[in-house]
Amino acid sequence: MSLPMRIARAAALLSLLLASPALADNKKVVLSQAFQSMLYLPLYVAIDEGFFTQQGVDLTKETAGAPTVALSAVISGSAQFSIHGPEWTAIAASKGAPVDIIANVVNGAAVWIATAPDFKFDSIKDIKGQKVVTGLMPTTSTSLFIKLLKENGMDAKTDVDMIQVAIGSEPGPFVAKQADVAVMYEPGLDQAVAKGMKVVLGFPKSYGAYAFSAVTARNDVDPDTAQRVVNAMEMAMRFMAKEQAKTVEIAKKEFPTLDPMVVESAVKRMLADAVYPPSVDISADALKVAMDTQIALGNLASQPDYKAFVVKKFIEPAVAMK
């Protein structure tokens, strides 16, 4: 092949590559997560497996340190998207903030109760009078625990002695035997299990579908950018359902300071308990159950309007992808 022809073919190939949406129309996106959390593993899978890149998104992940801070970044415009519990978005929206949720991230009540190995547990009433390690309010784990006590005729202020600690630090006082009971997220749960503690109650199985974490955006978000982000999250959900071993390896990479066996146990538990959703869709029932918890605790006055609050125009095309 002559040099001029090779140059012409190379130029044609370059033109073709530059014309592809992923390269010619790359969207720069800032996403603010509340914490670096195993609950947000679908996000990390989407990043590590290149699903955002495939959708033409150049994503910058920022860690806010709290759900309210992550949400504030979206409201102010310093981030286009945030990930945290949808209750924060619902509370802000009820006060007039222009925000809604556009994709599922966690679809199970990812909270468990563990006890010391010799603690006799037949029902939640067995913890009456006990010291219980819980996350510092406001947090969903403690909220669910308080609601469970109330549903069983108990008062969190008088029937148990809650030791509230910073979220993620629950294993410390629990394993140190400051209390025989703890209410925990992962990976703290499996950190405690590795020390001999036992799981006695799982909220995911008790509640079923529960909108626990979601992607939030302003309601004036660029629709093309939002669709690309939701598509990438959908690709991550499908990957996790089919590639459990690879999903575990991504989690180990994202949490290098944790015991790899704890990470593996935590991810497998959450997959088995359907904490991670099969798609980005959020059902009306899942949203209602989650918001009922906040209403019962007085954090939210009423249910958000599902049709307005959950933006199906981004979810439906993502779920329909081949």
Side-chain angles (χ1 to χ4, degrees):
M1 184 186 299
S2 67
L3 179 60
M5 186 171 290
R6 288 201 300 270
I7 293 172
R9 287 197 175 184
L13 177 60
L14 180 61
S15 297
L16 180 62
L17 289 173
L18 291 176
S20 67
L23 293 177
D25 192 21
N26 207 36
K27 300 279 188 175
K28 291 189 177 297
V29 165
V30 175
L31 184 150
S32 182
Q33 61 173 5
F35 311 100
Q36 178 75 4
S37 169
M38 204 167 285
L39 291 173
Y40 305 155
L41 187 54
L43 170 65
Y44 313 145
V45 168
I47 294 170
D48 289 10
E49 284 298 307
F51 297 142
F52 285 113
T53 302
Q54 290 178 36
Q55 288 295 319
V57 172
D58 180 4
L59 184 133
T60 298
K61 180 190 74 176
E62 296 181 347
T63 301
T68 50
V69 179
L71 176 59
S72 294
V74 169
I75 294 172
S76 69
S78 62
Q80 291 97 327
F81 307 97
S82 59
I83 290 184
H84 42 72
E87 66 273 11
W88 300 104
T89 311
I91 292 167
S94 72
K95 296 177 179 178
V99 288
D100 43 40
I101 54 177
I102 64 170
N104 209 345
V105 178
V106 178
N107 199 50
V111 178
W112 293 264
I113 296 177
T115 70
D118 57 352
F119 186 88
K120 185 178 180 296
F121 184 96
D122 293 318
S123 76
I124 192 64
K125 293 186 178 181
D126 290 330
I127 71 169
K128 187 171 183 177
Q130 295 292 321
K131 291 182 178 180
V132 183
V133 177
T134 67
L136 191 65
M137 282 289 278
T139 184
T140 305
S141 60
T142 308
S143 298
L144 283 173
F145 176 63
I146 293 170
K147 182 170 181 282
L148 179 63
L149 293 177
K150 186 177 180 180
E151 290 169 347
N152 284 272
M154 290 187 284
D155 188 320
K157 294 181 180 178
T158 59
D159 289 318
V160 296
D161 180 8
M162 285 199 300
I163 303 172
Q164 293 193 31
V165 299
I167 298 166
S169 66
E170 298 93 338
F174 180 40
V175 172
K177 302 187 185 302
Q178 293 179 28
D180 282 338
V181 183
V183 182
M184 312 179 80
Y185 297 115
E186 288 285 15
L189 178 71
D190 271 284
Q191 287 177 311
V193 169
K195 298 292 185 180
M197 303 305 180
K198 63 181 181 180
V199 180
V200 297
L201 189 148
F203 284 88
K205 292 181 179 178
S206 300
Y207 280 92
Y210 187 110
F212 199 83
S213 296
V215 178
T216 289
R218 286 178 59 97
N219 53 31
D220 60 357
V221 66
D222 174 58
D224 180 55
T225 303
Q227 189 63 66
R228 295 178 190 221
V229 167
V230 177
N231 287 353
M233 293 298 291
E234 174 68 19
M235 293 166 74
M237 306 298 186
R238 296 179 186 183
F239 177 92
M240 292 172 70
K242 294 179 181 178
E243 302 285 355
Q244 185 177 106
K246 290 182 179 179
T247 298
V248 168
E249 290 308 310
I250 290 171
K252 289 177 181 177
K253 173 185 171 185
E254 290 289 336
F255 299 92
T257 62
L258 292 178
D259 181 339
M261 293 306 298
V262 167
V263 173
E264 182 169 350
S265 296
V267 173
K268 287 183 175 179
R269 186 187 302 275
M270 288 193 281
L271 286 168
D273 284 359
V275 168
Y276 300 124
S279 79
V280 292
D281 199 11
I282 302 170
S283 71
D285 286 345
L287 182 69
K288 182 180 184 303
V289 172
M291 296 303 104
D292 277 346
T293 299
Q294 302 306 317
I295 292 169
L297 294 172
N299 297 330
L300 190 65
S302 61
Q303 285 282 339
D305 179 356
Y306 173 78
K307 291 183 178 179
F309 188 60
V310 178
V311 186
K312 290 283 192 173
K313 69 179 181 180
F314 301 130
I315 291 173
E316 289 173 351
V319 173
M321 283 191 307
K322 300 297 183 184

